[in-house]
Amino acid sequence: MTNKILLSLMLSFGALFAQQMDKNIEINNAYIRQMPPMMKMTAAFMDIKNTTDHDMVIVDVSSKIAKNTETHISFMNNNGNMQMKHMPEVILPKHSTTHFKKGAKHIMLMGLTTKLNKGDKHTISITFKDGTKIQHTFTVKKF
Amino acid sequence: MLRKRLTLIITFSLLVIGVFLITQPNKSNVKANKYAQDDHSFILNSKNGQITNDTFKGKAVVLFFGYMNCPDICPTALTDINNAMKDLTSDEKKNTQVVFVSVDPKRDTVGLLDEYVKYFNDSFIGATSSVKYLRKLTRKFYADFSYHEDKNSAAGYSVAHTGRIYILNKQGKLVNTLGSNQVIISDITKAIKEVL
């Protein structure tokens, strides 16, 4: 009986926390780029808003549709060339929106395990430094 | 006497201004002249065989250096170029050739390149060559590329490359370039129309 009460309390607490986390982080315009069919990698983009009064740090991203998922950034290097590199951590400043967009930060999905059709919806999980994790639905777009 | 001197000064000044204006280069040709003396010939391998400037003589050529494992800049550029072509007339489309040149021949075979570019537009051509030749070719276009390993990433190596769109005229001469990042689609259309 005690175990059941404890379990119920834990589940309720977990649900409340998840709900709070959803309010702390708002994600909009989340989409995955559709690539030529034989390509096994692509990029995902989003506007991610940190509504809290402290910086949040993304330390991991994952998805069932890819063997490897990472945060990357495209940038112009010192030679004036466009380059891309892995960003193991992405800081989301407090009270602001960070744009994962073309020519800038993006989520790289590598080793795709499924074909991406326009309009398909897939979940990407985002883990933060404090251990919290959220999941968000991204839509496949051809653009 | 004073009046005569003033008249002489004014006449001489007008003459100097006139000569100056006549000898100024036509601004519309300045951009073309900037590249016109350079050699932008190319010999590349595509799925359908070797392609050179002569292959597309009489057509505008839109050229971009990139690689297939690029999830961001390259597909964005090819999408933008395709969208720019939608505003061309059907004759203009027939007389425009887009060539995507891969600077990653290790991974991008001509067969895969052909399949890759056809996703964006059936008329696009994918081509590549040896790294040695690509180094010479990109230098001709004031471009370059480099490979970057990241042992902490599953991406393997990435390729840094000049992200510009190159417009060659019907004679195969480079006449214009546009930055591909945040490019305005209508600027690409305009640049193509200018050479047709």
Side-chain angles (χ1 to χ4, degrees):
Chain A
M1 182 68 179
T2 313
N3 284 344
K4 278 185 184 173
I5 293 168
L6 273 171
L7 184 62
S8 304
L9 278 169
M10 278 170 62
L11 285 169
S12 307
F13 183 71
L16 271 169
F17 186 75
Q19 208 176 27
Q20 184 54 43
M21 195 58 205
D22 280 345
K23 288 179 188 167
N24 290 345
I25 296 290
E26 291 172 11
I27 298 177
N28 290 297
N29 301 318
Y31 58 95
I32 298 169
R33 182 201 288 275
Q34 186 192 52
M35 287 281 269
M38 81 292 206
M39 294 309 297
K40 296 298 176 197
M41 47 65 81
T42 186
F45 306 93
M46 62 183 174
D47 297 328
I48 180 165
K49 186 176 180 182
N50 174 5
T51 66
T52 70
D53 58 4
H54 56 274
D55 292 352
M56 304 252 329
V57 185
I58 296 175
V59 294
D60 192 36
V61 283
S62 63
S63 179
K64 285 180 185 170
I65 66 164
K67 288 178 188 163
N68 298 100
T69 309
E70 296 172 359
T71 41
H72 280 234
I73 184 165
S74 298
F75 63 99
M76 187 173 282
N77 66 20
N78 293 334
N79 295 327
N81 289 340
M82 294 308 296
Q83 189 172 335
M84 188 177 72
K85 70 175 181 183
H86 177 217
M87 280 185 92
E89 292 187 349
V90 180
I91 298 171
L92 306 182
K94 61 185 178 185
H95 295 302
S96 70
T97 300
T98 301
H99 301 283
F100 281 58
K101 61 180 184 178
K102 291 181 275 180
K105 294 185 187 72
H106 53 275
I107 295 172
M108 270 269 288
L109 296 152
M110 296 164 280
L112 291 171
T113 57
T114 187
K115 193 179 167 197
L116 298 178
N117 299 308
K118 186 179 157 188
D120 284 354
K121 295 188 188 299
H122 296 290
T123 302
I124 295 179
S125 299
I126 302 170
T127 305
F128 297 86
K129 206 168 199 171
D130 61 4
T132 51
K133 194 172 182 175
I134 59 170
Q135 294 185 319
H136 195 80
T137 304
F138 288 65
T139 306
V140 177
K141 258 192 186 183
K142 178 173 180 173
F143 63 95
Chain B
M1 188 64 182
L2 183 63
R3 194 187 267 180
K4 268 189 184 171
R5 275 191 186 170
L6 264 170
T7 310
L8 204 62
I9 290 167
I10 291 167
T11 309
F12 182 72
S13 302
L14 286 172
L15 198 65
V16 168
I17 290 166
V19 167
F20 176 76
L21 287 173
I22 285 164
T23 55
Q24 280 308 291
N26 182 339
K27 278 192 179 170
S28 67
N29 288 331
V30 166
K31 231 183 310 186
N33 289 340
K34 183 181 169 188
Y35 303 113
Q37 301 309 311
D38 297 338
D39 166 29
H40 298 104
S41 60
F42 57 79
I43 304 172
L44 294 162
N45 304 318
S46 76
K47 187 183 175 187
N48 294 323
Q50 204 173 70
I51 58 169
T52 70
N53 297 66
D54 284 342
T55 312
F56 311 117
K57 215 153 197 173
K59 289 188 177 188
V61 172
V62 181
L63 197 139
F64 187 82
F65 295 106
Y67 67 113
M68 284 170 52
N69 279 279
C70 170
D72 189 8
I73 304 297
C74 303
T76 299
L78 290 171
T79 301
D80 287 346
I81 295 168
N82 179 52
N83 285 336
M85 287 184 67
K86 288 177 184 171
D87 289 330
L88 299 177
T89 64
S90 85
D91 271 349
E92 286 170 338
K93 282 177 194 170
K94 278 183 205 161
N95 290 313
T96 301
Q97 181 59 62
V98 175
V99 180
F100 176 68
V101 181
S102 169
V103 291
D104 186 15
K106 187 176 174 183
R107 290 185 291 201
D108 300 348
T109 64
V110 292
L112 285 173
L113 274 168
D114 185 70
E115 204 181 329
Y116 178 83
V117 297
K118 295 289 188 270
Y119 167 84
F120 299 95
N121 187 304
D122 279 340
S123 72
F124 288 10
I125 289 175
T128 190
S129 185
S130 66
V131 171
K132 189 176 174 184
Y133 177 77
L134 290 166
R135 292 248 178 256
K136 286 186 202 167
L137 180 63
T138 47
R139 267 198 297 273
K140 284 195 210 182
F141 285 79
Y142 313 107
D144 67 31
F145 60 95
S146 52
Y147 303 113
H148 300 266
E149 282 285 346
D150 187 344
K151 288 177 185 167
N152 296 320
S153 169
Y157 65 89
S158 65
V159 186
H161 58 94
T162 306
R164 297 193 72 78
I165 298 167
Y166 300 92
I167 311 289
L168 287 78
N169 67 12
K170 294 193 232 182
Q171 290 76 42
K173 296 286 183 188
L174 176 66
V175 293
N176 203 348
T177 77
L178 300 104
S180 69
N181 201 14
Q182 312 294 325
V183 71
I184 297 168
I185 307 287
S186 56
D187 283 351
I188 305 175
T189 314
K190 187 181 165 197
I192 297 171
K193 282 180 181 278
E194 275 175 0
V195 300
L196 286 173

